[in-house]
Amino acid sequence: MSAAPENQFHSDLYGGRLTIDVDAISRNWRVLREKLGGKSECAAAIKADAYGTGQKEVGRALFAAGCRTFFVAVPTEAIALRQVLPEAVIYALNGLLPGTSGPYLEHNIRPVLGSLAELEDWIALCKSSGRSLDAAVHVDTGIHRLGLSPEEFSQTLGDAGMMGPFVPSLLMSHLACGSTPSHAMNRRQLDLFREVTAPHAHLRRSLANSAGVLMGEDYHFDLVRPGISLYGGQAIDDDPNPMTPVAKVEARIMIVRDVPEGDTIGYGAMHTAKRPLRNAVVAAGYADGMLRRAGSTDERPGGFAMISGHRAPILGRISMDMITLDVTDIPEHLLERGTYVEMLGPNVAAADLAAYAETIDYEYLTSLGRRFERVYGPLT
């Protein structure tokens, strides 16, 4: 296990440690690819710095595993990824802002064209160059974010004179309710996507995110774009998560102290000790991605950490730089100053913490460890 190049200081100077297992990410990708039965290509969404795990490191590992197509959000992410993956196909999901076609062409980046104006600009560029330039076209099937309306999509792609030499490299849409497979919206989107793309079925098509991969062959088409599942996250809300954890956040104990019964803990005096307590204060907070909403109050429990197999509930509000844990029932020899405490990882799932914070595991993963030592290797 070795420290990543960006670590500037000795390990003891960090308040916490973020360990990332890129081999586990590659294994998760292979698990998803196997579900396709060789009928579809398995791409990878590595936007937001590969969901907080390191875009360059993850990109290299996935390419070595066999992944050849990658999706990021913005062109700056795409250009950075191109520096380490010169042969990969790279799509930028957020499309084509005015005046940005030059960098797309210079770095061989494919925009996902998500509006009629973007499509018209790209067609004009293709006509001026006299050739088709690779880009995807996004049709909105009901999520009402990016994407041409079905009417715009059908009218434009069906007009050979308007399209000129441009032939899309991919037709795509995005599921709104994939995390709930029984939701009627999924079938409506699937049916609409089939309908509007049927005249262009000779082109490659893509609908499935992580949830779509797990929902079965109907959603796979020619290419799937898993994201959260690659990083061990929960793609489908009520099913067991088949993916392997890939990240572990550990924070160091700064102090262990006694709290008398009836005293309050943390900002706002939100949590009152119902008995004499011992608490441990660890060097992590919302500035490190430990979301404030996962704190506890007298009315509701908060999240938890794990210390050598023992559960340590969060007490009171999560501060910017520290969290207080209830260690009353944990053996004292496990609570030495400087000891690492698992805040998220194999024993503290991001989805579980997210439930306490009234959010989703995506938010945890993409926010993690800006001040932690970053280490690449196994989570053991």
Side-chain angles (χ1 to χ4, degrees):
M1 189 161 60
S2 59
E6 65 262 32
N7 294 337
Q8 301 177 43
F9 307 109
H10 190 278
S11 296
D12 289 343
L13 295 174
Y14 290 93
R17 179 168 61 202
L18 171 59
T19 304
I20 298 160
D21 187 347
V22 294
D23 290 337
I25 296 173
S26 296
R27 288 195 297 273
N28 284 340
W29 180 82
R30 292 189 186 99
V31 167
L32 296 170
R33 181 181 61 177
E34 289 173 5
K35 294 183 180 296
L36 306 177
K39 298 178 182 179
S40 306
E41 179 185 356
C42 191
I46 61 172
K47 59 185 179 175
D49 198 30
Y51 289 53
T53 63
Q55 177 184 267
K56 292 183 179 180
E57 292 81 3
V58 171
R60 289 190 188 102
L62 288 174
F63 193 87
C67 185
R68 293 295 178 265
T69 302
F70 297 84
F71 288 81
V72 297
V74 295
T76 51
E77 293 177 325
I79 292 168
L81 185 60
R82 176 61 72 207
Q83 294 172 2
V84 297
L85 296 181
E87 299 176 4
V89 174
I90 303 174
Y91 285 95
L93 290 161
N94 282 16
L96 187 70
L97 290 170
T100 60
S101 59
Y104 273 97
L105 297 179
E106 178 185 353
H107 298 282
N108 191 22
I109 307 301
R110 302 182 181 186
V112 176
L113 305 172
S115 71
L116 184 59
E118 291 180 5
L119 178 57
E120 290 172 343
D121 284 353
W122 197 256
I123 289 172
L125 190 64
C126 292
K127 288 180 176 179
S128 67
S129 66
R131 60 192 179 95
S132 182
L133 304 168
D134 287 329
V137 177
H138 187 159
V139 57
D140 175 32
T141 54
I143 196 170
H144 290 291
R145 300 190 313 179
L146 299 179
L148 281 72
S149 70
E151 295 74 22
E152 291 171 333
F153 179 89
S154 296
Q155 182 176 353
T156 306
L157 268 70
D159 187 338
M162 183 173 182
M163 291 290 288
F166 176 49
V167 179
S169 56
L170 186 69
L171 305 178
M172 60 176 284
S173 192
H174 191 65
L175 295 169
C177 301
S179 61
T180 310
S182 61
H183 199 293
M185 185 72 173
N186 294 310
R187 180 57 60 172
R188 288 201 298 271
Q189 287 191 268
L190 174 62
D191 291 344
L192 181 55
F193 185 65
R194 280 176 171 161
E195 178 185 344
V196 299
T197 61
H200 315 284
H202 59 288
L203 300 177
R204 303 190 81 205
R205 294 180 289 176
S206 177
L207 178 63
N209 54 6
S210 293
V213 175
L214 300 175
M215 284 161 59
E217 185 176 348
D218 283 352
Y219 291 87
H220 293 168
F221 292 91
D222 303 291
L223 178 145
V224 300
R225 320 181 302 271
I228 191 65
S229 287
L230 297 176
Y231 310 101
Q234 182 105 12
I236 294 180
D237 290 342
D238 296 326
D239 287 356
N241 186 1
M243 314 314 295
T244 301
V246 306
K248 180 166 68 172
V249 174
E250 299 166 286
R252 305 183 78 188
I253 294 175
M254 297 185 287
I255 188 174
V256 178
R257 63 188 307 149
D258 295 324
V259 181
E261 182 178 358
D263 277 14
T264 58
I265 299 161
Y267 282 128
M270 302 299 290
H271 189 110
T272 305
K274 305 297 190 298
R275 58 171 178 162
L277 297 177
R278 294 170 67 235
N279 68 13
V281 182
V282 298
Y286 58 76
D288 305 294
M290 296 288 101
L291 302 181
R292 187 172 181 267
R293 295 186 300 280
S296 74
T297 71
D298 288 338
E299 284 72 42
R300 68 174 184 87
F304 63 95
M306 293 295 290
I307 303 175
S308 298
H310 298 272
R311 188 177 176 117
I314 294 173
L315 295 175
R317 283 183 178 169
I318 292 173
S319 305
M320 182 184 293
D321 311 306
M322 60 191 77
I323 294 172
T324 302
L325 303 173
D326 184 352
V327 296
T328 308
D329 301 318
I330 298 177
E332 189 171 348
H333 72 275
L334 299 176
L335 304 172
E336 295 181 2
R337 186 164 58 97
T339 296
Y340 283 98
V341 172
E342 182 180 338
M343 306 300 296
L344 180 147
N347 302 298
V348 188
D352 290 340
L353 283 185
Y356 288 105
E358 301 177 342
T359 184
I360 54 176
D361 46 5
Y362 297 70
E363 186 174 6
Y364 265 102
L365 290 169
T366 57
S367 303
L368 289 177
R370 287 183 284 265
R371 298 185 296 187
F372 290 159
E373 178 188 19
R374 180 169 287 220
V375 174
Y376 286 89
L379 302 189
T380 54

